Amino acid sequence: MATPRVSLEQWRALVAVVDGGSYSKAADALHKSQSSITYALQQLESDLGVKAFKIEGRKAVLTPTGHLLYRRARYLLDESAQLERSAQRLSAGWEAELRLAIEVVFPTWLLLACLDRFGQESPNTRIEVIESVIGHRADALLKGQADLAIFAGVPAGFSGEPLMRLRFILVAHPNHPLHKLKRKLSMRDLRSYRHLTVRETSPDRATASWMETVQRWTVSDLSTSIEAARSGYGFALLPEEKIRSELRAGTLKTLPVEGSERYAELYLVFADREHAGPGAQRLAEIIREMTATECTRHQKAGGTPKRRPLAKRAGRTSRQ
């Protein structure tokens, strides 16, 4: 790698002169003498063999080359400052990467909102999301694949706390034969029709159905089950939050089966709470706070948490 001929201080002087509008203001902004600013820019032009400024009257203005150098210098200085902030975060113990294992039934919009808020505070911490189906418990935690998890239960040997409660409802396409019965249904009515289920993620666990039917399709992705139900291929027990748009559009309709609702309690689980880093602790705090806010809001409104627009993202600052 070639050694740069121009130092960051010289680029900083160039940007300061342009931003300040004069050598004297640049000197004041950088707490240097005007002569040192002048020398830095003369040396920059000499080392690169270019002219960054030209004299018009009594004022130095940027040449076309100078405009290019100014734009690239601004970018270089921003990157340098960001690198220093990243180093400071790492030296303070903030993790460079966090891994979150999450049940696919957790509201996607809420997850993304939490990650976005964390990203505003620690933009250089990479996030990996590992999605799994209810029933997948300690695998990702035991294998060291996740720092945090949102599971429908706290695996033995791990520390967790209640996060939220999700409602599951039986649904089918409005033209499904079960809807055409036009009466209250029983579990016996369902047994003659195709049941759509989702396989649990962990290969060591068998997917246990909550009811016996003559026909069953088992898929490995929740979205496939939703699409199959929406297309009229069978009925399914699905998280209400995940099919809210289908219910509003009328492509899925709740089956009138008394006592068919199910609920899942989701928990926030640490892989190692005692030794969790500040990044993991802050992400957990954000998830806890935002989920509690949404749950309280939807309880007042009645129903499942609804998506709301995110705040404008202008003027982001780092918390660290």
Side-chain angles (χ1 to χ4, degrees), residues 48 59-60 80 103 106 124 152 159 242 253-254 262 280 309:
L48 298 180
K59 189 175 182 181
S80 175
E103 302 280 14
F106 185 75
N124 290 316
S159 173
K242 290 289 185 176
K253 183 179 178 181
T254 304
R262 298 290 187 274

Side-chain angles (χ1 to χ4, degrees), residues 219-262:
V219 298
S220 58
D221 193 288
L222 181 63
S223 62
T224 305
S225 180
I226 294 173
E227 178 62 27
R230 185 172 56 194
S231 300
Y233 292 116
F235 69 89
L237 184 71
L238 296 170
E240 185 179 20
E241 168 59 30
K242 290 289 185 176
I243 56 171
R244 182 161 293 280
S245 60
E246 287 80 6
L247 293 172
R248 284 197 300 263
T251 55
L252 285 177
K253 183 179 178 181
T254 304
L255 288 168
V257 183
E258 186 175 356
S260 63
E261 292 182 351
R262 298 290 187 274

Side-chain angles (χ1 to χ4, degrees), residues 83-127:
L83 179 59
E84 290 181 7
R85 287 193 292 268
S86 297
Q88 291 170 358
R89 277 190 289 268
L90 293 174
S91 67
W94 280 69
E95 304 89 325
E97 181 178 25
L98 288 174
R99 297 160 299 174
L100 176 63
I102 185 168
E103 302 280 14
V104 294
V105 297
F106 185 75
T108 303
W109 63 266
L110 182 53
L111 169 66
L112 297 178
C114 292
L115 296 182
D116 180 68
R117 180 173 166 186
F118 178 81
Q120 294 178 40
E121 300 181 9
S122 184
N124 290 316
T125 298
R126 299 187 301 273
I127 301 291

Side-chain angles (χ1 to χ4, degrees), residues 7-312:
S7 68
L8 284 178
E9 286 302 312
Q10 289 172 287
W11 290 122
R12 190 170 286 113
L14 171 66
V15 170
V17 169
V18 177
D19 290 346
S22 69
Y23 284 76
S24 60
K25 289 183 179 179
D28 291 338
L30 297 179
H31 306 291
K32 294 180 178 295
S33 66
Q34 185 171 333
S35 61
S36 67
I37 298 296
T38 301
Y39 177 77
L41 293 182
Q42 289 175 343
Q43 192 65 42
L44 181 151
E45 292 178 322
S46 174
D47 289 341
L48 298 180
V50 299
K51 292 296 293 184
F53 295 93
K54 62 181 178 180
I55 303 299
E56 291 186 357
R58 299 180 63 183
K59 189 175 182 181
V61 297
L62 284 173
T63 63
T65 299
H67 279 289
L68 174 62
L69 293 178
Y70 170 72
R71 291 195 300 270
R72 298 300 296 270
R74 287 295 302 268
Y75 176 79
L76 177 64
L77 293 173
D78 288 343
E79 285 294 298
S80 175
Q82 185 63 38
L83 179 59
E84 290 181 7
R85 287 193 292 268
S86 297
Q88 291 170 358
R89 277 190 289 268
L90 293 174
S91 67
W94 280 69
E95 304 89 325
E97 181 178 25
L98 288 174
R99 297 160 299 174
L100 176 63
I102 185 168
E103 302 280 14
V104 294
V105 297
F106 185 75
T108 303
W109 63 266
L110 182 53
L111 169 66
L112 297 178
C114 292
L115 296 182
D116 180 68
R117 180 173 166 186
F118 178 81
Q120 294 178 40
E121 300 181 9
S122 184
N124 290 316
T125 298
R126 299 187 301 273
I127 301 291
E128 180 180 358
V129 177
I130 306 165
E131 295 179 295
S132 60
V133 177
I134 279 188
H136 181 65
R137 292 290 184 267
D139 298 46
L141 297 174
L142 287 172
K143 294 176 182 178
Q145 298 172 345
D147 304 291
L148 288 170
I150 298 177
F151 285 160
V154 181
F158 291 93
S159 173
E161 57 193 85
L163 192 60
M164 71 182 302
R165 192 184 197 206
L166 285 179
R167 179 178 178 234
F168 289 70
I169 56 176
L170 269 175
V171 295
H173 189 275
N175 293 330
H176 191 280
L178 285 168
H179 282 302
K180 293 182 179 180
L181 296 176
K182 296 182 179 180
R183 60 172 171 80
K184 290 286 186 180
L185 304 176
S186 66
M187 291 297 182
R188 185 180 296 274
D189 292 318
L190 304 181
R191 291 175 183 170
S192 299
Y193 298 93
R194 183 180 294 122
H195 182 202
L196 306 170
T197 65
V198 183
R199 181 182 297 107
E200 293 178 3
T201 303
S202 174
D204 300 326
R205 297 176 60 90
T207 299
S209 176
W210 57 278
M211 69 173 298
E212 289 299 324
T213 56
V214 175
Q215 302 179 62
R216 182 189 302 160
W217 285 359
T218 302
V219 298
S220 58
D221 193 288
L222 181 63
S223 62
T224 305
S225 180
I226 294 173
E227 178 62 27
R230 185 172 56 194
S231 300
Y233 292 116
F235 69 89
L237 184 71
L238 296 170
E240 185 179 20
E241 168 59 30
K242 290 289 185 176
I243 56 171
R244 182 161 293 280
S245 60
E246 287 80 6
L247 293 172
R248 284 197 300 263
T251 55
L252 285 177
K253 183 179 178 181
T254 304
L255 288 168
V257 183
E258 186 175 356
S260 63
E261 292 182 351
R262 298 290 187 274
Y263 292 88
E265 299 287 346
L266 295 183
Y267 296 81
L268 181 62
V269 185
F270 282 85
D272 186 350
R273 188 168 198 143
E274 183 178 354
H275 298 99
Q281 293 181 31
R282 178 55 184 154
L283 179 56
E285 182 181 6
I286 289 173
I287 293 173
R288 190 184 305 115
E289 289 178 355
M290 294 188 69
T291 302
T293 298
E294 292 302 327
C295 287
T296 300
R297 193 172 65 86
H298 95 81
Q299 287 171 0
K300 292 180 179 179
T304 307
K306 299 179 181 179
R307 181 173 185 173
R308 61 180 177 180
L310 294 177
K312 291 184 178 180

